[in-house]
Amino acid sequence: MVPAVSASLNGSSDVTDFVINQGHGVKGLSETGIKALPKQYIQPLQERVITKIEPRESIPVIDMSKWDDPQVANSICDAAEKWGFFQVVNHGVPLEVLDNVKKATYGFFGLPAEEKRKYSKENSPSNNIRFGTSFSPQAEKALEWKDYLSLFYVSEEEAALWPPVCKDQILEYMMSSKPLINHLLQVLMKRLNVNEIDETKQNLLTGSVRTNINYYPICPNPELTVGIGRHSDVSTLTVLLQDSVGGLYVRGNEGEDSWIHVPPIDGAIVINIGDALQIMSNGRYRSVEHRVTANGSSNRISVPIFVNPRPQDIIGPLPETLANGEKPIYKQVLYSDYVRHFFKKAHDGKDTVDFAKITESY
Ligand SMILES: COc1cc(/C=C/C(=O)SCCNC(=O)CCNC(=O)[C@H](O)C(C)(C)COP(=O)(O)OP(=O)(O)OC[C@H]2O[C@@H](n3cnc4c(N)ncnc43)[C@H](O)[C@@H]2OP(=O)(O)O)ccc1O
Ligand SMILES: O=C(O)CCC(=O)C(=O)O
Ligand SMILES: [Fe+2]
């Protein structure tokens, strides 16, 4: 499309205006046929290079068909402790629901820029609905090659304001994932000696839900930038649907340069532990750094459901995790303060969690 548009995007401010203000996103930029990556997307060397060492181990794939089996429960807890990431198959979320949400994601990003722009921070009918690009463009020295729509679920009535092209499919995906989410949390809690999830705990673990749809368009110089930079999620846990393109890497256990690819598996869902659960488990379950590479030949989409405490909840190590005299390594923090801290800076790997760390004073 439109080489004339590409030719007219001369300076940085033209690109920023086209991508952010006019609502074309990086998808629009990619579709101009742009041949070289604009300089504001060039990441520092250390952020873009993934050393291609073949890792000796891979992220576990857990078959959930016998989900009451204690061995399945053990695999879930072991993976949460060791990797912070695992994939599940035979998880009970209908495959048709997954297909529908992927199609709906393409539907939303395929809308003209003037339609998508209606959901930008400045124009959105609600603060809980946000179409954007990169992560936090005001705070970032280098931008990321990704557009997103972020939907914080408040109520059915408010969801009526979500873009009609994807609303029903996203709601269906969220609702169909609930039994899986509750089961995973029940199993994970049991290992922490939490045998009953009462209403207070349920709210703490699953009281708010944010679903994002991510679009990573074809990139002219994928080796110079990233789709998403190193970060850990601030959720309790994240249920992530990816398509068949690949590009999600997780920090492995074999040193600084160890990044493990999460290979797309048809019908599988990726699960990752977020910072809130790392804090609540006093570090036993790990919220692990991950990143997404840019791709020179395929567009990619993903759909994370972030399951979180409520903004007004105070999070800290659960009393059950400290019952045996274990020392708390995290303090009590207001969850919305934690999330605001995450959003107001560029991605910086695992540094967000320091916000909740107890610092030794001498
Ligand atoms: C986008 O690229 C991403 C995203 C991620 C996400 C990973 C996650 O784990 S998301 C799960 C986060 N948890 C929750 O949202 C649940 C709790 N929610 C809250 O506490 C509140 O909703 C709130 C997030 C604190 C927002 O509070 P509110 O008072 O309603 O809103 P503001 O004051 O307008 O927002 C403050 C500030 O936050 C930033 N922000 C808000 N929403 C988003 C969003 N959807 N996406 C990006 N940034 C957001 C923003 O900076 C706001 O300041 P402004 O000046 O811009 O208004 C992982 C990786 C990614 O690459
Ligand atoms: O696209 C992916 O595979 C991962 C997305 C992600 O990490 C996020 O949205 O937090
Ligand atoms: Fe993430």
Side-chain angles (χ1 to χ4, degrees):
M1 173 192 126
V2 224
V5 175
S6 168
S8 72
L9 294 174
N10 287 322
S12 292
S13 60
D14 285 358
V15 170
T16 307
D17 185 56
F18 181 80
V19 172
I20 299 179
N21 306 336
Q22 294 177 35
H24 291 277
V26 280
K27 179 174 185 288
L29 194 55
S30 168
E31 289 173 356
T32 63
I34 194 165
K35 292 283 181 285
L37 188 74
K39 67 174 186 309
Q40 55 267 59
Y41 290 90
I42 300 180
Q43 293 282 333
L45 192 61
Q46 69 276 16
E47 295 301 336
R48 52 176 132 114
V49 170
I50 291 193
T51 321
K52 302 274 180 207
I53 307 170
E54 269 311 304
R56 277 174 295 204
E57 293 182 276
S58 48
I59 303 298
V61 179
I62 301 175
D63 184 344
M64 300 281 292
S65 43
K66 293 191 193 137
W67 81 5
D68 285 328
D69 185 337
Q71 276 187 7
V72 174
N74 271 335
S75 309
I76 292 168
C77 297
D78 290 349
E81 286 186 8
K82 181 171 180 188
W83 298 103
F85 264 81
F86 50 98
Q87 303 208 56
V88 289
V89 294
N90 300 315
H91 40 60
V93 186
L95 299 185
E96 196 194 352
V97 170
L98 303 183
D99 279 346
N100 290 345
V101 82
K102 285 189 223 167
K103 285 189 193 122
T105 299
Y106 273 103
F108 174 77
F109 288 104
L111 292 174
E114 58 271 24
E115 283 301 311
K116 288 185 281 193
R117 200 168 52 216
K118 289 182 182 161
Y119 302 98
S120 70
K121 189 194 155 203
E122 293 72 25
N123 305 320
S124 181
S126 157
N127 204 22
N128 298 316
I129 307 172
R130 186 181 294 220
F131 167 62
T133 189
S134 192
F135 174 60
S136 186
Q138 299 76 6
E140 289 165 323
K141 290 209 182 81
L143 298 175
E144 301 179 347
W145 195 257
K146 176 203 71 172
D147 298 329
Y148 69 90
L149 173 72
S150 184
L151 302 165
F152 187 63
Y153 181 84
V154 175
S155 64
E156 275 289 325
E157 293 89 78
E158 220 227 14
L161 300 172
W162 292 7
V165 67
C166 56
K167 167 186 157 266
D168 290 343
Q169 295 83 347
I170 294 176
L171 283 173
E172 193 182 28
Y173 169 49
M174 282 169 52
M175 299 311 154
S176 315
S177 304
K178 266 190 179 174
L180 171 66
I181 291 164
N182 286 331
H183 182 74
L184 292 171
L185 286 170
Q186 195 198 334
V187 161
L188 289 164
M189 284 299 112
K190 210 160 173 203
R191 189 173 278 190
L192 300 180
N193 299 318
V194 177
N195 294 313
E196 198 216 325
I197 302 185
D198 60 13
E199 200 185 327
T200 310
K201 283 246 166 44
Q202 185 74 32
N203 280 333
L204 205 53
L205 296 166
T206 68
S208 80
V209 176
R210 179 184 291 284
T211 302
N212 284 9
I213 58 178
N214 294 323
Y215 192 96
Y216 309 87
I218 293 172
C219 179
N221 298 104
E223 67 292 349
L224 298 182
T225 191
V226 294
I228 299 191
R230 292 178 300 115
H231 70 286
S232 59
D233 295 344
V234 291
S235 53
T236 306
L237 58 79
T238 304
V239 171
L240 173 74
L241 176 64
Q242 62 167 334
D243 67 11
S244 58
V245 174
L248 169 63
Y249 287 81
V250 174
R251 173 83 80 188
N253 299 320
E254 294 171 32
E256 268 293 290
D257 284 336
S258 153
W259 287 95
I260 300 183
H261 190 230
V262 182
I265 299 174
D266 209 20
I269 293 177
V270 180
I271 307 290
N272 63 281
I273 305 301
D275 295 353
L277 189 51
Q278 174 167 320
I279 292 168
M280 286 189 248
S281 67
N282 203 34
R284 181 155 187 179
Y285 296 135
R286 297 179 57 219
S287 166
V288 172
E289 245 181 296
H290 51 286
R291 66 207 289 205
V292 177
T293 50
N295 191 304
S297 52
S298 299
N299 300 309
R300 175 175 186 269
I301 56 160
S302 69
V303 190
I305 300 176
F306 303 103
V307 180
N308 318 293
R310 297 170 304 177
Q312 70 271 30
D313 284 324
I314 307 280
I315 63 163
L318 295 171
E320 292 82 348
T321 64
L322 306 177
N324 58 2
E326 193 174 303
K327 236 178 126 187
I329 52 175
Y330 300 107
K331 57 191 174 198
Q332 308 283 324
V333 292
L334 178 67
Y335 184 59
S336 59
D337 284 350
Y338 190 85
V339 178
R340 278 207 181 85
H341 172 71
F342 171 69
F343 278 138
K344 79 165 183 253
K345 57 187 177 46
H347 283 318
D348 56 0
K350 282 292 297 171
D351 289 358
T352 316
V353 83
D354 289 346
F355 185 78
K357 265 220 172 104
I358 293 176
T359 43
E360 297 285 346
S361 54
Y362 294 96

